[in-house]
Amino acid sequence: MAASAVFILDTKGKVLISRNYRGDVPMSVASRFISKILEEEELNMKPIVEEDGVSYVYIKHSNLYLMATTERNANAATVVLFLYKMVEVLEEYFKELEEESIRDNFVIIYELMDEMMDFGYPQTTEPKILQEYITQEGHKLDLGQKAAALPPAITGVVSWRPDNLKYRKNEVFLDVIESINLLVSSNGTILRSEIVGSIKMRSYLSGMPELRLGLNDKVQFDQTTTRSTSGRGKGIELEDVKFHQCVRLTRFENDRTISFIPPDGEFELMSYRLNTSVKPLIWIESIIDPHAHSRVEYMVKAKSQFKARSIANNVQIIVPVPPDADTPKFKATMGSCRYTPEEEAAVWTVKQFPGGREFLMRAHFGLPSIHNPDKAQAKPPITVKFEIPYYTVSGIQVRYLKIIEKSGYQALPWVRYVCLSGDYQFRTG
């Protein structure tokens, strides 16, 4: 990658702040960029625009454009990733990244841009490391005062972790979080089914430890994996796997070991996706019965299709109702119901929904308005929200987490599994 310059512009194309790193592309090209963007329709917009031999790589964040220019054959994905890291750093400093926060913090943003990129190549992009030596408050330098030394993480190989960390109690918390995206048609056909997962860590470890994470043998990271699944059932083929920069990719490619020196505190170690057929954990059947345009009745049946030893917590079944519905009446075999007119929905809440159970809810609404029977009415889907602890849909499991540090201290790894509803919807008839 070799970016020539980086710009932050408002939505009208006015340059708020810019930094020229290589000097091979004139800074005036920023005016051409916004004219190209305004010409394009929103549906046809691409993250890379080319004109007169100059490539414009950009992202949009709230009311700002972050844009990099280059004349070289640069790695576009790396440039886009750098722009997103820039957003992350600026949000860490200013909480919200918008036009006003840019105007109020020119000096510190110039400092950050100088540290994050040198001659068009990304350098330090970890917010925690940058905050060690670029502070938001200005400090006067007293005569004879020794200049602050750079953190070792800047000059060392491990740029994401400060040196000399010490904790009285060394602990690692590992969360395997999976959310299910599901869309079911009104006749019960599954139209879309997807699992989106991530492994998140909170690391409170002294020194510079090396961690090795082992997942169960069923996990496959691609079609050409060397790991055998014979005798252990069908493999779990993870797609779109993304690792934190701390993971040693060469070792992972050789023997599928996830080996890394973790950043301090909270971070996402990896994320993945499974575009596979998923058995719906909570199945919904509904009957909507309108009566002579004066009232409407709903019967909603919810069935949990996971094992009895698991429990879904805070289950919410959101049933859309007409905007003019009034006088609600509810009857449910479990949980409570309420009408939320601002959302035009009836919300059925079950605090704890055991596996292998079935519950029923009936609702009755009056309809004071008169509707044209020939006009098609919009039918928004029923949405389900839930959380199942100690459960993963994909079957992914942490087999071991080894913590190796030269001082030889003992650390406590804690592992937790959570399954959440993502975009989980059932269309109504």
Side-chain angles (χ1 to χ4, degrees):
M1 172 197 172
S4 299
V6 172
F7 300 81
I8 300 179
L9 308 94
D10 63 16
T11 48
K12 294 179 182 177
K14 184 178 179 182
V15 178
L16 302 175
I17 194 167
S18 62
R19 181 72 174 85
N20 192 349
Y21 292 104
R22 300 180 68 92
D24 55 352
V25 175
M27 300 297 277
S28 57
V29 297
S31 58
R32 294 185 221 160
F33 161 74
I34 201 67
S35 60
K36 289 285 290 182
I37 293 299
L38 295 175
E39 284 172 15
E40 293 285 340
E41 294 183 13
E42 195 166 339
L43 287 172
N44 298 328
M45 287 175 74
K46 302 177 181 71
I48 302 169
V49 178
E50 286 188 284
E51 189 178 68
D52 297 335
V54 178
S55 299
Y56 303 86
V57 184
Y58 73 96
I59 62 171
K60 189 176 182 184
H61 180 81
S62 61
N63 59 348
L64 299 171
Y65 286 104
L66 284 83
M67 183 264 290
T69 59
T70 182
E71 279 188 330
R72 297 163 176 262
N73 185 19
N75 186 330
T78 306
V79 181
V80 172
L81 180 61
F82 174 80
L83 295 175
Y84 277 112
K85 289 297 287 186
M86 194 171 174
V87 169
E88 182 187 335
V89 168
L90 295 178
E91 283 188 326
E92 190 72 28
Y93 271 84
F94 314 130
K95 303 306 175 195
E96 288 186 12
L97 180 57
E98 51 190 23
E99 190 175 331
E100 189 177 343
S101 60
I102 297 292
R103 294 186 189 279
D104 291 344
N105 297 280
F106 278 131
V107 175
I108 196 167
I109 293 172
Y110 274 122
E111 283 188 64
L112 289 167
M113 291 174 86
D114 280 341
E115 293 298 333
M116 292 179 69
M117 182 172 276
D118 186 24
F119 200 58
Y121 294 93
Q123 302 296 311
T124 305
T125 57
E126 282 298 312
K128 288 181 182 178
I129 303 299
L130 289 164
Q131 283 174 336
E132 285 190 38
Y133 65 104
I134 298 181
T135 56
Q136 284 176 271
E137 295 85 13
H139 295 287
K140 291 183 180 178
L141 186 64
D142 296 331
L143 289 174
Q145 184 182 5
K146 210 173 180 180
L150 286 175
I154 295 301
T155 54
V157 179
V158 185
S159 62
W160 54 86
R161 182 180 178 87
D163 205 2
N164 299 323
L165 283 170
K166 289 184 179 178
Y167 287 98
R168 289 181 63 186
K169 192 176 182 181
N170 293 289
E171 292 181 304
V172 176
F173 298 89
L174 194 69
D175 289 341
V176 181
I177 301 168
E178 290 188 344
S179 60
I180 305 175
N181 297 328
L182 184 79
L183 180 62
V184 180
S185 69
S186 56
N187 61 5
T189 305
I190 296 175
L191 303 175
R192 182 169 69 100
S193 168
E194 179 186 59
I195 301 168
V196 179
S198 64
I199 297 179
K200 295 185 178 181
M201 290 191 78
R202 281 180 295 145
S203 165
Y204 306 108
L205 298 171
S206 306
M208 198 67 72
E210 180 178 333
L211 274 64
R212 290 174 191 166
L213 176 68
L215 302 175
N216 52 326
D217 287 340
K218 284 188 179 181
V219 174
Q220 297 179 352
F221 290 94
D222 53 36
Q223 297 289 346
T224 58
T225 180
T226 57
R227 182 165 288 177
S228 171
T229 58
S230 59
R232 294 182 179 268
K234 190 180 177 184
I236 306 160
E237 291 180 359
L238 305 183
E239 303 170 38
D240 296 342
V241 178
K242 295 175 190 171
F243 289 110
H244 189 274
Q245 64 174 348
C246 66
V247 175
R248 293 189 178 95
L249 293 179
T250 49
R251 178 157 188 180
F252 172 75
E253 286 164 3
N254 290 335
D255 59 9
R256 294 298 187 229
T257 301
I258 302 173
S259 173
F260 57 98
I261 296 173
D264 187 45
E266 191 170 343
F267 68 100
E268 185 176 273
L269 178 66
M270 66 175 280
S271 62
Y272 57 89
R273 183 175 62 85
L274 275 86
N275 196 1
T276 182
S277 179
V278 179
K279 183 180 180 182
L281 298 179
I282 295 181
W283 183 260
I284 301 294
E285 293 177 10
S286 63
I287 298 173
I288 303 171
D289 191 9
H291 292 273
H293 311 295
S294 61
R295 59 192 174 92
V296 61
E297 291 183 358
Y298 295 84
M299 188 185 78
V300 179
K301 183 165 73 174
K303 183 180 180 182
S304 56
Q305 301 191 133
F306 48 89
K307 292 180 180 177
R309 64 170 179 263
S310 297
I311 294 176
N313 295 330
N314 303 317
V315 178
Q316 282 192 338
I317 299 164
I318 302 164
V319 183
V321 300
D324 58 342
D326 64 3
T327 58
K329 295 176 185 176
F330 300 106
K331 189 175 181 182
T333 56
M334 176 65 79
S336 60
C337 303
R338 71 180 192 278
Y339 172 46
T340 54
E342 67 277 5
E343 296 177 11
E344 297 177 4
V347 182
W348 177 19
T349 304
V350 181
K351 288 289 182 187
Q352 290 193 318
F353 201 134
R357 298 291 300 275
E358 188 178 295
F359 300 120
L360 193 68
M361 186 273 286
R362 294 179 184 272
H364 176 282
F365 290 91
L367 296 174
S369 304
I370 298 172
H371 297 282
N372 182 358
D374 298 326
K375 187 179 178 181
Q377 300 291 322
K379 294 178 180 178
I382 294 173
T383 304
V384 184
K385 297 178 181 179
F386 59 83
E387 176 182 318
I388 307 176
Y390 319 113
Y391 190 90
T392 59
V393 190
S394 65
I396 190 170
Q397 287 183 351
V398 175
R399 224 168 24 132
Y400 62 83
L401 180 61
K402 294 178 181 176
I403 301 164
I404 304 160
E405 215 277 331
K406 59 184 178 183
S407 64
Y409 62 70
Q410 294 295 313
L412 298 170
W414 304 90
V415 182
R416 183 178 62 166
Y417 301 91
V418 183
C419 178
L420 306 170
S421 58
D423 190 14
Y424 199 98
Q425 297 181 333
F426 292 80
R427 288 179 178 169
T428 55

Short mmCIF file of all heavy atoms in Angstrom, two decimals, residues 7-13 33-34 37-38 40 42 45-48 57-68 80 83-84 87 91 97-98:
data_model
loop_
_atom_site.label_atom_id
_atom_site.label_comp_id
_atom_site.label_asym_id
_atom_site.label_seq_id
_atom_site.Cartn_x
_atom_site.Cartn_y
_atom_site.Cartn_z
N PHE A 7 -7.66 12.73 3.20
CA PHE A 7 -8.51 13.90 3.38
C PHE A 7 -9.71 13.53 4.25
O PHE A 7 -10.20 12.39 4.18
CB PHE A 7 -9.06 14.40 2.04
CG PHE A 7 -8.02 14.81 1.04
CD1 PHE A 7 -7.37 13.85 0.25
CD2 PHE A 7 -7.70 16.13 0.84
CE1 PHE A 7 -6.43 14.21 -0.69
CE2 PHE A 7 -6.75 16.51 -0.11
CZ PHE A 7 -6.11 15.55 -0.87
N ILE A 8 -10.20 14.49 5.02
CA ILE A 8 -11.50 14.39 5.67
C ILE A 8 -12.33 15.55 5.14
O ILE A 8 -11.95 16.72 5.27
CB ILE A 8 -11.41 14.44 7.21
CG1 ILE A 8 -10.54 13.29 7.73
CG2 ILE A 8 -12.80 14.36 7.83
CD1 ILE A 8 -10.37 13.26 9.24
N LEU A 9 -13.47 15.23 4.50
CA LEU A 9 -14.31 16.24 3.85
C LEU A 9 -15.72 16.20 4.43
O LEU A 9 -16.17 15.17 4.94
CB LEU A 9 -14.40 16.00 2.34
CG LEU A 9 -13.09 15.82 1.55
CD1 LEU A 9 -12.75 14.34 1.43
CD2 LEU A 9 -13.23 16.42 0.16
N ASP A 10 -16.45 17.34 4.32
CA ASP A 10 -17.86 17.33 4.68
C ASP A 10 -18.67 16.83 3.48
O ASP A 10 -18.11 16.55 2.40
CB ASP A 10 -18.32 18.70 5.17
CG ASP A 10 -18.21 19.79 4.11
OD1 ASP A 10 -18.06 19.45 2.92
OD2 ASP A 10 -18.26 20.98 4.46
N THR A 11 -19.98 16.75 3.62
CA THR A 11 -20.82 16.17 2.57
C THR A 11 -20.89 17.05 1.32
O THR A 11 -21.29 16.59 0.26
CB THR A 11 -22.24 15.93 3.10
OG1 THR A 11 -22.69 17.12 3.76
CG2 THR A 11 -22.29 14.77 4.07
N LYS A 12 -20.50 18.33 1.44
CA LYS A 12 -20.49 19.23 0.28
C LYS A 12 -19.15 19.20 -0.44
O LYS A 12 -18.97 19.89 -1.44
CB LYS A 12 -20.83 20.65 0.73
CG LYS A 12 -22.26 20.79 1.25
CD LYS A 12 -22.54 22.20 1.71
CE LYS A 12 -23.95 22.32 2.27
NZ LYS A 12 -24.21 23.68 2.79
N GLY A 13 -18.18 18.47 0.12
CA GLY A 13 -16.89 18.35 -0.54
C GLY A 13 -15.84 19.30 -0.04
O GLY A 13 -14.72 19.35 -0.58
N PHE A 33 -13.04 14.81 -6.64
CA PHE A 33 -13.63 13.63 -5.98
C PHE A 33 -15.11 13.86 -5.68
O PHE A 33 -15.96 13.03 -6.01
CB PHE A 33 -12.87 13.33 -4.69
CG PHE A 33 -13.61 12.46 -3.72
CD1 PHE A 33 -13.78 11.10 -3.94
CD2 PHE A 33 -14.18 13.01 -2.57
CE1 PHE A 33 -14.48 10.31 -3.04
CE2 PHE A 33 -14.88 12.22 -1.67
CZ PHE A 33 -15.02 10.87 -1.91
N ILE A 34 -15.43 15.00 -5.06
CA ILE A 34 -16.82 15.20 -4.64
C ILE A 34 -17.74 15.36 -5.85
O ILE A 34 -18.90 14.93 -5.81
CB ILE A 34 -16.94 16.41 -3.67
CG1 ILE A 34 -18.24 16.29 -2.83
CG2 ILE A 34 -16.86 17.74 -4.39
CD1 ILE A 34 -18.25 15.14 -1.87
N ILE A 37 -18.61 11.92 -6.93
CA ILE A 37 -19.54 11.28 -5.99
C ILE A 37 -20.96 11.80 -6.20
O ILE A 37 -21.93 11.03 -6.21
CB ILE A 37 -19.08 11.52 -4.54
CG1 ILE A 37 -17.77 10.79 -4.25
CG2 ILE A 37 -20.15 11.08 -3.53
CD1 ILE A 37 -17.83 9.30 -4.38
N LEU A 38 -21.10 13.12 -6.38
CA LEU A 38 -22.43 13.70 -6.55
C LEU A 38 -23.07 13.29 -7.87
O LEU A 38 -24.30 13.26 -7.98
CB LEU A 38 -22.33 15.23 -6.47
CG LEU A 38 -21.90 15.80 -5.10
CD1 LEU A 38 -21.72 17.29 -5.16
CD2 LEU A 38 -22.92 15.42 -4.02
N GLU A 40 -22.84 10.28 -9.18
CA GLU A 40 -23.29 8.89 -9.07
C GLU A 40 -24.57 8.80 -8.24
O GLU A 40 -24.75 9.52 -7.26
CB GLU A 40 -22.22 8.03 -8.40
CG GLU A 40 -20.96 7.85 -9.23
CD GLU A 40 -21.16 6.88 -10.38
OE1 GLU A 40 -22.11 6.08 -10.33
OE2 GLU A 40 -20.37 6.94 -11.34
N GLU A 42 -26.93 6.81 -5.53
CA GLU A 42 -26.52 6.12 -4.31
C GLU A 42 -26.39 4.62 -4.51
O GLU A 42 -25.51 3.97 -3.93
CB GLU A 42 -27.53 6.41 -3.18
CG GLU A 42 -27.02 6.04 -1.82
CD GLU A 42 -27.84 6.61 -0.69
OE1 GLU A 42 -28.55 7.60 -0.91
OE2 GLU A 42 -27.77 6.05 0.40
N MET A 45 -22.93 3.69 -6.16
CA MET A 45 -21.70 4.18 -5.54
C MET A 45 -20.76 3.03 -5.18
O MET A 45 -21.19 2.01 -4.65
CB MET A 45 -22.02 5.01 -4.29
CG MET A 45 -22.60 6.37 -4.63
SD MET A 45 -23.10 7.30 -3.19
CE MET A 45 -21.52 7.76 -2.53
N LYS A 46 -19.47 3.22 -5.51
CA LYS A 46 -18.45 2.21 -5.22
C LYS A 46 -17.42 2.83 -4.29
O LYS A 46 -17.24 4.06 -4.28
CB LYS A 46 -17.78 1.74 -6.51
CG LYS A 46 -18.75 1.16 -7.52
CD LYS A 46 -18.01 0.78 -8.80
CE LYS A 46 -18.96 0.23 -9.85
NZ LYS A 46 -19.84 1.24 -10.42
N PRO A 47 -16.69 2.01 -3.50
CA PRO A 47 -15.71 2.57 -2.56
C PRO A 47 -14.45 3.10 -3.24
O PRO A 47 -13.61 3.71 -2.60
CB PRO A 47 -15.38 1.39 -1.65
CG PRO A 47 -15.69 0.18 -2.46
CD PRO A 47 -16.82 0.56 -3.36
N ILE A 48 -14.30 2.86 -4.56
CA ILE A 48 -13.12 3.33 -5.30
C ILE A 48 -13.60 4.06 -6.55
O ILE A 48 -14.42 3.55 -7.31
CB ILE A 48 -12.19 2.17 -5.70
CG1 ILE A 48 -11.75 1.39 -4.46
CG2 ILE A 48 -10.97 2.68 -6.45
CD1 ILE A 48 -11.07 0.09 -4.76
N VAL A 57 -10.00 6.36 -2.88
CA VAL A 57 -10.56 5.30 -2.03
C VAL A 57 -11.20 5.99 -0.83
O VAL A 57 -10.54 6.79 -0.16
CB VAL A 57 -9.47 4.32 -1.57
CG1 VAL A 57 -10.09 3.18 -0.77
CG2 VAL A 57 -8.69 3.78 -2.76
N TYR A 58 -12.48 5.69 -0.56
CA TYR A 58 -13.17 6.47 0.48
C TYR A 58 -14.17 5.63 1.25
O TYR A 58 -14.61 4.56 0.80
CB TYR A 58 -13.88 7.67 -0.15
CG TYR A 58 -15.13 7.31 -0.93
CD1 TYR A 58 -16.39 7.39 -0.35
CD2 TYR A 58 -15.05 6.86 -2.25
CE1 TYR A 58 -17.53 7.05 -1.06
CE2 TYR A 58 -16.17 6.52 -2.96
CZ TYR A 58 -17.42 6.61 -2.36
OH TYR A 58 -18.55 6.26 -3.04
N ILE A 59 -14.53 6.13 2.42
CA ILE A 59 -15.66 5.61 3.20
C ILE A 59 -16.47 6.81 3.68
O ILE A 59 -15.94 7.93 3.76
CB ILE A 59 -15.20 4.76 4.41
CG1 ILE A 59 -14.37 5.61 5.39
CG2 ILE A 59 -14.43 3.54 3.97
CD1 ILE A 59 -14.07 4.91 6.70
N LYS A 60 -17.73 6.58 3.99
CA LYS A 60 -18.58 7.64 4.54
C LYS A 60 -18.92 7.30 5.97
O LYS A 60 -19.30 6.17 6.28
CB LYS A 60 -19.85 7.80 3.71
CG LYS A 60 -20.66 9.04 4.11
CD LYS A 60 -21.88 9.26 3.23
CE LYS A 60 -22.60 10.52 3.65
NZ LYS A 60 -23.85 10.74 2.88
N HIS A 61 -18.77 8.29 6.86
CA HIS A 61 -19.09 8.09 8.27
C HIS A 61 -19.89 9.30 8.75
O HIS A 61 -19.39 10.43 8.73
CB HIS A 61 -17.81 7.94 9.10
CG HIS A 61 -18.07 7.73 10.56
ND1 HIS A 61 -18.39 6.49 11.09
CD2 HIS A 61 -18.08 8.59 11.60
CE1 HIS A 61 -18.57 6.61 12.39
NE2 HIS A 61 -18.39 7.87 12.72
N SER A 62 -21.14 9.07 9.15
CA SER A 62 -22.11 10.12 9.54
C SER A 62 -22.11 11.21 8.46
O SER A 62 -22.44 10.95 7.32
CB SER A 62 -21.83 10.64 10.95
OG SER A 62 -20.56 11.22 11.05
N ASN A 63 -21.67 12.43 8.77
CA ASN A 63 -21.73 13.51 7.78
C ASN A 63 -20.35 13.84 7.20
O ASN A 63 -20.09 14.96 6.79
CB ASN A 63 -22.35 14.77 8.40
CG ASN A 63 -21.54 15.27 9.60
OD1 ASN A 63 -20.67 14.56 10.09
ND2 ASN A 63 -21.82 16.48 10.04
N LEU A 64 -19.47 12.84 7.18
CA LEU A 64 -18.10 13.05 6.71
C LEU A 64 -17.70 12.01 5.66
O LEU A 64 -18.20 10.88 5.68
CB LEU A 64 -17.10 12.95 7.88
CG LEU A 64 -17.26 13.95 9.03
CD1 LEU A 64 -16.35 13.55 10.18
CD2 LEU A 64 -16.96 15.36 8.58
N TYR A 65 -16.78 12.40 4.78
CA TYR A 65 -16.09 11.47 3.89
C TYR A 65 -14.64 11.39 4.33
O TYR A 65 -13.99 12.42 4.52
CB TYR A 65 -16.13 11.95 2.44
CG TYR A 65 -17.46 11.81 1.75
CD1 TYR A 65 -18.29 12.91 1.53
CD2 TYR A 65 -17.91 10.56 1.29
CE1 TYR A 65 -19.51 12.78 0.90
CE2 TYR A 65 -19.13 10.43 0.67
CZ TYR A 65 -19.93 11.54 0.47
OH TYR A 65 -21.14 11.40 -0.15
N LEU A 66 -14.11 10.19 4.51
CA LEU A 66 -12.68 9.98 4.73
C LEU A 66 -12.14 9.37 3.43
O LEU A 66 -12.61 8.32 3.00
CB LEU A 66 -12.42 9.05 5.91
CG LEU A 66 -12.62 9.66 7.31
CD1 LEU A 66 -14.09 9.63 7.70
CD2 LEU A 66 -11.80 8.91 8.34
N MET A 67 -11.18 10.06 2.81
CA MET A 67 -10.76 9.69 1.46
C MET A 67 -9.24 9.70 1.35
O MET A 67 -8.56 10.56 1.91
CB MET A 67 -11.38 10.68 0.46
CG MET A 67 -11.10 10.39 -1.00
SD MET A 67 -9.70 11.32 -1.64
CE MET A 67 -10.38 12.99 -1.66
N ALA A 68 -8.71 8.69 0.66
CA ALA A 68 -7.28 8.61 0.39
C ALA A 68 -7.08 8.60 -1.12
O ALA A 68 -7.89 8.04 -1.86
CB ALA A 68 -6.67 7.36 1.00
N VAL A 80 -8.80 0.92 2.62
CA VAL A 80 -10.13 0.99 3.24
C VAL A 80 -10.05 0.62 4.72
O VAL A 80 -10.63 1.29 5.57
CB VAL A 80 -11.12 0.06 2.50
CG1 VAL A 80 -12.44 -0.03 3.26
CG2 VAL A 80 -11.38 0.58 1.09
N LEU A 83 -8.69 3.50 6.70
CA LEU A 83 -9.68 4.56 6.92
C LEU A 83 -10.65 4.19 8.04
O LEU A 83 -11.03 5.03 8.86
CB LEU A 83 -10.44 4.85 5.62
CG LEU A 83 -9.59 5.42 4.47
CD1 LEU A 83 -10.43 5.55 3.19
CD2 LEU A 83 -9.00 6.77 4.84
N TYR A 84 -11.05 2.92 8.10
CA TYR A 84 -11.93 2.48 9.20
C TYR A 84 -11.20 2.52 10.54
O TYR A 84 -11.78 2.87 11.57
CB TYR A 84 -12.46 1.06 8.93
CG TYR A 84 -13.68 1.04 8.03
CD1 TYR A 84 -13.62 0.51 6.75
CD2 TYR A 84 -14.90 1.55 8.47
CE1 TYR A 84 -14.73 0.50 5.91
CE2 TYR A 84 -16.01 1.54 7.64
CZ TYR A 84 -15.92 1.02 6.37
OH TYR A 84 -17.03 1.02 5.56
N VAL A 87 -11.25 6.04 11.75
CA VAL A 87 -12.53 6.36 12.39
C VAL A 87 -12.54 5.84 13.83
O VAL A 87 -12.94 6.54 14.76
CB VAL A 87 -13.71 5.75 11.59
CG1 VAL A 87 -15.01 5.84 12.37
CG2 VAL A 87 -13.85 6.45 10.24
N GLU A 91 -12.85 8.25 17.08
CA GLU A 91 -14.00 8.07 17.99
C GLU A 91 -13.53 7.78 19.41
O GLU A 91 -14.18 8.18 20.38
CB GLU A 91 -14.90 6.94 17.48
CG GLU A 91 -15.78 7.36 16.33
CD GLU A 91 -16.80 6.31 15.95
OE1 GLU A 91 -16.51 5.10 16.07
OE2 GLU A 91 -17.90 6.69 15.52
N LEU A 97 -17.49 11.19 16.06
CA LEU A 97 -16.74 11.75 14.94
C LEU A 97 -17.72 12.44 14.01
O LEU A 97 -18.52 11.81 13.32
CB LEU A 97 -15.99 10.64 14.20
CG LEU A 97 -15.17 11.09 12.99
CD1 LEU A 97 -14.16 12.15 13.38
CD2 LEU A 97 -14.49 9.90 12.33
N GLU A 98 -17.69 13.75 14.02
CA GLU A 98 -18.53 14.54 13.15
C GLU A 98 -17.79 15.83 12.81
O GLU A 98 -16.68 16.09 13.30
CB GLU A 98 -19.88 14.83 13.81
CG GLU A 98 -19.78 15.41 15.19
CD GLU A 98 -21.12 15.45 15.90
OE1 GLU A 98 -22.02 14.69 15.55
OE2 GLU A 98 -21.23 16.27 16.83
#
